[in-house]
Amino acid sequence: MEIGKRIRNLRLAKDLSVNGLAKKAYISQSYLSDIENGRTAPSLDKLTLICEALDISLSEFFGSVPELPAEIIKLIESARKLTDEEIKLLSHFLEVIGERKSGI
């Protein structure tokens, strides 16, 4: 797992700037940028602060969730707020789009 890439994707999914996340995590913007770009690795304490600022636990951060683009993470976060009926409608909508793309 690329920790910096995972942080960047989660940050983008939450519509946070580097500066915004750095402030929420009580770390410097340059330090967060270095982490996201793979120039440094965060200590466990700093990673805990970052996770808290992203409103996720360390276990969620390291969980078996595959590396996903920020846009997909954002969709998942939005879908979590939907009612059961809205989820059914969204699922149907996605099936229709998939069928159109595959030429069915």
Side-chain angles (χ1 to χ4, degrees):
M1 167 190 284
E2 294 180 45
I3 291 175
K5 182 178 178 183
R6 178 107 166 111
I7 291 170
R8 177 183 289 120
N9 284 339
L10 290 166
R11 174 180 60 77
L12 292 172
K14 301 274 185 174
D15 284 328
L16 289 169
S17 65
V18 172
N19 189 45
L21 178 56
K23 283 182 180 180
K24 286 182 76 170
Y26 306 104
I27 60 175
S28 73
Q29 181 178 347
S30 61
Y31 179 61
L32 179 57
S33 179
D34 285 346
I35 293 168
E36 286 191 358
N37 289 300
R39 291 187 290 266
T40 191
S43 67
L44 186 56
D45 289 344
K46 297 299 184 192
L47 184 57
T48 299
L49 290 172
I50 292 168
C51 286
E52 287 173 359
L54 290 168
D55 198 29
I56 62 169
S57 67
L58 278 173
S59 62
E60 288 173 304
F61 184 85
F62 287 110
S64 61
V65 177
E67 296 284 331
L68 297 171
E71 295 82 16
I72 300 298
I73 296 171
K74 195 175 205 173
L75 286 171
I76 293 168
E77 291 293 323
S78 296
R80 288 182 179 174
K81 300 172 188 168
L82 300 176
T83 65
D84 289 343
E85 184 61 29
E86 291 168 333
I87 290 171
K88 288 177 188 174
L89 290 169
L90 178 59
S91 178
H92 178 71
F93 174 73
L94 294 172
E95 286 173 18
V96 170
I97 290 175
E99 289 172 359
R100 288 183 64 208
K101 287 200 171 233
S102 64
I104 296 175

